[in-house]
Amino acid sequence: INVLSKIIKEDPEAKQPGLKFTLAMATALSFGNGLENRVYLDQPLDGVARYSSFLRWSEEGLLLEPFFHLNVWQMRFIMQGRSPDSDYVWARENVPEKFQNPDKIGGAVFDMVTYT
């Protein structure tokens, strides 16, 4: 509830039905017990910053359309990513063109990450 309170303090519109509410609730669920940064262990992840990043990206038109139709439960899977927001930016900028659509984006990781 602390994360949700902080988000609402920063963005009172997050109390109203719509994307901001869904994003705020999903973030609060994801960060309720803290969320470990698995990339940079000495840099904790910040739920309010994650909310702000995804809100900004949505306003800039950088997110694929299905994102806007997720419910709170579905969106929490996106919000609870254990990488810093900079990794989301890198992935978006480097995803191969053939995966830049909602039907194929899930397969991008297999071309972007080498498995041994």
Side-chain angles (χ1 to χ4, degrees), residues 24-36:
M25 292 299 293
T27 305
L29 281 173
S30 299
F31 284 83
N33 292 323
L35 201 56
E36 177 184 280

Side-chain angles (χ1 to χ4, degrees), residues 37 50 66 76 97:
N37 183 336
R50 176 70 46 93
R76 76 179 175 85
E97 188 173 336

Side-chain angles (χ1 to χ4, degrees), residues 64 66 99-107:
L64 296 174
F99 294 110
Q100 294 179 8
N101 71 66
D103 295 329
K104 296 182 180 180
I105 191 68

